[in-house]
Amino acid sequence: MAETSLEGGVQNSNYDRQKELKAFDETKAGVKGLVDSGLAKIPRIFIHEEFKLERNKNQDPGNSKTSYQLPIIDLTGVSEDASLRQKVVKKIGEGCQKWGFFQVVNHGIGVTTSDEMIDGIRKFHEQDSEVKKKIYSHDYTKVLHFNSNHDLYNAEVANWRDTLTCVMAPRQPHPQDLPPVCRDIMLDYSNRVMKLGETLCELMSEALGLKSSYLKDIGCAEGLFVLSHYYPVCPEPLLTLGTSSHTDSSFFTVLLQDQLGGLQVHHENQCGLMLLLFMELLS
C-alpha cells in the first residue's frame, strides 16, 4: 500500500525503517551528529504524527484558556519549624494526590550549582563526536553510557534528543570513569540532589501518615539514576518531539530544566506548558 507524505505526494512503500534506525545508530554521533552534518530535513524515523502536529501548530498549550496553579513547595525552615513543616507536608500530600508532581523552591541547591550542571552537560554533548563515541552504548548494565533514544529500536517514533546516562548511587562511580568535561559538577550536583531526595522522602512519608524515615528505610532514597538530555536545534521542529508523552518509571523524579523551558504536563485531560516542574533555580 502506498503512503501519503507530508507534502501530499506518495512515498516509497519499500521504506526500510529498521535499516534507517541501524544506519543512524551506527554513526554513534546521535542527533547532534545529524545537525552537525548540516541536514535540512529530519530523517523519517523522527517524524511524530506529522499531520496532527501541523494541524495543531497554532494551538500553543501555553496559551490555553484553562489556568492551573502549579503546587509550589517552599522548603525554607522545614527542618526547624514544626508548624511550618506540617503545612509543607499537607501541600506535598495534596500535590502528590491531585497532580503527581510539584515545584520545589528554596531547596538548598544554589543557582550556581544548577547552572554549572546545565553548562557541564551542554559541554559534554557539544564536544567532538569522536570523544562521545567512546562511551556510546545501548548496554544498560554499564554505569555510564551515551546514546540517542534508549528505546530506539522499539519505540514507534524516535525523539529528537541525545542522552548521557549515569548511575550515581547507591555506588558512586569512580571520578575517572566520568567525562572530564563535566566530572566535578556531576559529583557535586548528585550529592546535593541525594540530600534533597532524602528530605522529600521524609516529607512524603509524613504526608502518608507514616514515620518520616519510612520511605528511606525501604530503600526509596538509595539510588540515583541521572539522565542528562540534550535537544539540538531542529531544522523541522513541527515534525518531531524532544520527549514523547510518557510516565517516568522511577519512584520519583527530581527535574532540572534549563532556561528554554518547553516541558509539558498532563493534568485533568489538559496538556499545559510548565517552565519548571520540580526545581526552581533559587538558592
Side-chain angles (χ1 to χ4, degrees), residues 31 156 211 263:
V31 173
E156 185 176 345
K211 64 178 181 177
L263 290 172

Side-chain angles (χ1 to χ4, degrees), residues 99-114:
W99 290 78
F101 59 86
F102 47 81
Q103 181 178 2
V104 179
V105 298
N106 297 316
H107 41 66
I109 302 178
V111 63
T112 300
T113 300
S114 300

Side-chain angles (χ1 to χ4, degrees), residues 144-241:
L144 175 77
H145 55 270
F146 157 73
N147 62 36
S148 181
N149 289 259
H150 68 92
D151 55 355
L152 183 66
Y153 292 98
N154 300 317
E156 185 176 345
V157 187
N159 287 315
W160 190 261
R161 71 156 187 256
D162 297 329
T163 305
L164 173 66
T165 303
C166 187
V167 179
M168 298 299 293
R171 289 185 178 181
Q172 194 171 77
H174 294 294
Q176 62 266 29
D177 292 333
L178 297 175
V181 71
C182 56
R183 174 185 298 154
D184 293 342
I185 189 58
M186 283 186 73
L187 291 169
D188 182 28
Y189 178 77
S190 296
N191 288 333
R192 295 173 187 268
V193 169
M194 285 294 289
K195 292 179 181 178
L196 173 59
E198 291 178 359
T199 297
L200 292 176
C201 276
E202 289 180 359
L203 296 171
M204 286 189 285
S205 293
E206 292 173 34
L208 289 168
L210 305 168
K211 64 178 181 177
S212 61
S213 65
Y214 181 82
L215 291 176
K216 185 177 179 180
D217 291 343
I218 62 174
C220 294
E222 286 184 0
L224 179 60
F225 192 58
V226 177
L227 299 173
S228 303
H229 299 309
Y230 179 80
Y231 307 93
V233 175
C234 181
E236 297 182 291
L238 292 179
L239 302 185
T240 190
L241 294 171

Side-chain angles (χ1 to χ4, degrees), residues 73-81 84 88 105-107:
I73 310 299
D74 189 338
L75 297 184
T76 303
V78 75
S79 298
E80 293 81 27
D81 189 324
L84 178 62
V88 170
V105 298
N106 297 316
H107 41 66

Side-chain angles (χ1 to χ4, degrees), residues 227 229 243-255 278:
L227 299 173
H229 299 309
T243 298
S244 303
S245 176
H246 69 284
T247 299
D248 286 352
S249 59
S250 56
F251 177 67
F252 72 97
T253 300
V254 175
L255 175 64
F278 287 90

